[in-house]
Amino acid sequence: MIATDAKPRLAAKARLRFDRKTSRYLLLYPERGLELNATAADVARLCTGEHTVAAIVDQLVEKYADRPREVIERETLAFLAALADRALLQDTT
Amino acid sequence: MSVSHRPYTLVAELTYRCPLRCVYCSNPLDYAGHADALDTAGWISVFRAAEDLGVVQLNLTGGEPLLRDDLEPLIEEARKLDLYTNLITSGIPLARERLARFRQLGLDNVQLSIQDVEPAASDRIAGLRSFERKLEVARWVKELGFPLTMNTVLHRDNLDHVEEIVALAERLSADRLGLANTQYLGWALLNRQALLPSRDQLARARVVAAAARDRLRGRMEVLFVFPDYYTDLPKACMDGWGRRFIVVSPDGLALPCHLAHTLPGVTFENVRDRPLGEIWEGSSGFNAFRGEAWMPEPCRSCDRRAIDFGGCRCQAFHLAGDAALTDPACSLSPHHALVERARADAESPAVSPSLTYRSRAAVVPQ
Ligand SMILES: C[S@@+](CC[C@H](N)C(=O)[O-])C[C@H]1O[C@@H](n2cnc3c(N)ncnc32)[C@H](O)[C@@H]1O
Ligand code: SF4
Ligand code: SF4
């Protein structure tokens, strides 16, 4: 699992694109794409290599004030793990 | 438009011309009869129409797309449309400066095909001395900052080299490795006897590929596509007819798959004659095998029909003579013996059969 002080960054092959048809963000990479929900899209947008996982969670907690921090943290880590599994994150240390 | 009928990927076959002559080439046997009919403006309007329908992925392929001297404006337009653009190429002919321009113009990914790990073996399959130049192109791709997909089509002659193929991909710092077992259509069907592996050979390669996938997880994506000749289940070809893909052939035909125009009795329309959206939605060709109404038994009453859509229409036609049959790769197909016989032949190959290289010459009927 990804450490909370890692600074994740999207892999070079991945690109975010807003989808007019569904009003959601797609994370595109060769021959594939992931349809992201709102939180996942926020996480992906913050994967620039500048923010630690903890800082990303902080930002989301602020934005989604009605949702418990534990839930947001769990979702963020799960999403990052799914990205890492698909080689969609660059080395983050 | 219903969401299930949204295309996601446009496969732009910019030309069927190619300096290589791969014995497994999936282009139609009569490729030379299909001229390049779309100019730059023609392709640009196809891209725009496709994006409007919902397409987000663009594959620039062929034939050899590098033979088009207007790739630059096409890539530029694709970027403007925010399409994820993948150049699928043999790497020949290419200069580093041109590749650098593609990078500046916003090309997203380069998928380079490499036939094998030794120059002689690779060049023998490609029908052209090309191996060393491909390696050089792979290095440029990475130096210029592109993500690299390496694609190797697998068959009898290179399936025992999967370990070395993975090592080559690692040396080239590929981000993805496609270990794509040959699909036996086009020139590959003509050369099937020489290319189809034995069951043991495949089983061994699968183990090696799985180990590499686990070892490289997170660094390099390793895809091993098992051949439908050995699964007894058909592939969900193109994710289903007219569901997610639009292929446009060099002569401008809008197709549900890259060989659909080889099916007799199905009519396809040209993007020069009718708007792409209308062709996608309403043409008889795109609707011929959409959904389930066309399905024969055993598919009609089978639980897997929403998973594999009855398999590949081209395989049904090219093996069993009728595109509206269950794919013979399926063990429930009444024509499955055709596949079983090919497998049996692969277990005890007689004299090593000769290879037919892709060429424009008139071709032996299948
Ligand atoms: C027809 S080629 C055209 C692009 C380019 N000339 C090349 O070979 O990379 C498109 C892709 O299909 C692959 N391919 C060709 N024939 C195939 C077959 N019979 N089965 C599976 N993949 C095949 C190639 O390796 C390539 O990645
Ligand atoms: S598969 Fe080989 S012959 Fe066919 S288009 Fe690609 S490089 Fe050319
Ligand atoms: S019978 Fe048809 S639907 Fe069922 S597995 Fe075979 S091809 Fe697929």
Side-chain angles (χ1 to χ4, degrees), chain A residues 12-22 26 28-33 35 84-89, chain B residues 6 51-54 56-57 79 81-84 86 108-109 111 147 149 175-176 217-219 221 223:
Chain A
K13 67 180 176 185
R15 195 142 76 71
L16 265 180
R17 183 201 210 262
F18 183 71
D19 184 26
R20 289 198 305 283
K21 302 271 174 194
T22 56
L26 298 172
L28 300 174
Y29 56 109
E31 293 179 279
R32 308 273 157 95
E35 199 178 275
D85 211 45
R86 293 172 170 81
L88 292 173
L89 290 183
Chain B
R6 167 185 174 173
E51 199 276 339
D52 203 46
L53 288 171
V56 291
Q57 295 267 3
R79 186 60 198 220
L81 294 167
D82 206 11
L83 297 171
Y84 190 98
N86 191 1
D108 287 291
N109 189 72
Q111 173 172 327
T149 300
D175 300 85
R176 287 172 90 226
R217 191 182 301 279
R219 278 187 288 152
E221 201 185 344
L223 306 140

Side-chain angles (χ1 to χ4, degrees), chain B residues 15 29 47 61 111 130 168 181 199 202 206 218 222 262 293 303 326 359 361:
Chain B
T15 180
L29 301 182
F47 294 179
T61 179
Q111 173 172 327
S130 51
L168 177 61
N181 272 288
R199 191 183 285 279
L202 262 168
R206 196 216 305 247
V222 179
T262 65
D303 284 348
T326 296
S359 75

Side-chain angles (χ1 to χ4, degrees), chain B residues 186-346:
Chain B
W187 296 85
L189 183 54
L190 209 59
N191 286 307
R192 187 177 69 187
Q193 227 199 324
L195 297 175
L196 192 68
S198 72
R199 191 183 285 279
D200 280 353
Q201 209 184 358
L202 262 168
R204 287 195 302 271
R206 196 216 305 247
V207 171
V208 175
R213 191 187 53 222
D214 291 344
R215 180 171 62 80
L216 295 167
R217 191 182 301 279
R219 278 187 288 152
M220 184 197 299
E221 201 185 344
V222 179
L223 306 140
F224 182 79
V225 187
F226 213 75
D228 54 2
Y229 269 60
Y230 281 93
T231 49
D232 286 332
L233 288 172
K235 288 213 177 341
C237 190
M238 305 308 284
D239 275 336
W241 185 273
R243 279 181 83 246
R244 289 172 165 261
F245 285 85
I246 300 178
V247 180
V248 175
S249 68
D251 41 358
L253 293 175
L255 305 168
C257 90
H258 63 280
L259 286 172
H261 50 335
T262 65
L263 304 177
V266 193
T267 316
F268 295 101
E269 295 179 57
N270 200 296
V271 294
R272 294 183 299 171
D273 303 331
R274 200 178 169 192
L276 186 65
E278 282 182 26
I279 301 180
W280 167 258
E281 195 64 14
S283 69
S284 64
F286 269 95
N287 286 308
F289 303 110
R290 242 183 201 148
E292 299 180 353
W294 65 273
M295 283 186 181
E297 290 296 354
C299 299
R300 189 179 276 278
S301 48
C302 176
D303 284 348
R304 281 184 52 91
R305 67 186 186 281
I307 300 171
D308 65 31
F309 313 101
C312 171
R313 300 302 88 229
C314 299
Q315 192 146 274
F317 170 70
H318 289 285
L319 293 190
D322 180 353
L325 291 171
T326 296
D327 185 337
C330 177
S331 61
L332 301 175
S333 155
H335 299 93
H336 189 54
L338 293 166
V339 167
E340 291 175 319
R341 223 172 296 140
R343 286 197 308 228
D345 288 347

Side-chain angles (χ1 to χ4, degrees), chain B residues 5-200:
Chain B
H5 281 188
R6 167 185 174 173
Y8 282 85
T9 301
L10 173 67
V11 179
E13 296 187 322
L14 299 175
T15 180
Y16 279 142
R17 291 174 293 130
C18 183
L20 278 66
R21 305 183 292 143
C22 302
V23 294
Y24 56 62
C25 184
S26 54
N27 285 171
L29 301 182
D30 67 348
Y31 74 92
H34 302 263
D36 300 358
L38 301 185
D39 59 9
T40 314
W43 278 111
I44 284 179
S45 65
V46 170
F47 294 179
R48 289 184 184 156
E51 199 276 339
D52 203 46
L53 288 171
V55 162
V56 291
Q57 295 267 3
L58 171 65
N59 290 350
L60 300 174
T61 179
E64 182 43 63
L66 293 171
L67 292 183
R68 293 280 305 210
D69 58 14
D70 57 356
L71 265 184
E72 286 84 346
L74 296 182
I75 290 169
E76 195 173 11
E77 177 68 19
R79 186 60 198 220
K80 269 192 214 139
L81 294 167
D82 206 11
L83 297 171
Y84 190 98
T85 304
N86 191 1
L87 178 67
I88 301 181
T89 181
S90 69
I92 291 165
L94 185 60
R96 195 180 193 278
E97 298 71 47
R98 191 173 193 213
L99 191 60
R101 277 203 298 281
F102 295 167
R103 175 86 184 146
Q104 275 171 354
L105 293 168
L107 178 66
D108 287 291
N109 189 72
V110 178
Q111 173 172 327
L112 181 69
S113 56
I114 299 185
Q115 279 69 2
D116 208 329
V117 289
E118 295 288 341
S122 184
D123 296 351
R124 176 169 162 272
I125 293 296
L128 183 79
R129 245 181 91 177
S130 51
F131 180 74
E132 299 294 348
R133 276 190 285 166
K134 282 168 180 275
L135 296 196
E136 180 152 48
V137 169
R139 284 190 284 269
W140 296 338
V141 168
K142 291 301 293 189
E143 281 165 21
L144 291 167
F146 283 110
L148 170 67
T149 300
M150 169 174 152
N151 191 63
T152 300
V153 177
L154 299 178
H155 45 77
R156 190 175 194 91
D157 279 0
N158 65 4
L159 262 161
D160 295 332
H161 309 161
V162 168
E163 185 122 34
E164 291 83 354
I165 294 169
V166 172
L168 177 61
E170 285 186 80
R171 266 204 312 285
L172 297 175
S173 310
D175 300 85
R176 287 172 90 226
L177 172 62
L179 297 165
N181 272 288
T182 305
Q183 289 184 315
Y184 293 94
L185 289 166
W187 296 85
L189 183 54
L190 209 59
N191 286 307
R192 187 177 69 187
Q193 227 199 324
L195 297 175
L196 192 68
S198 72
R199 191 183 285 279
D200 280 353

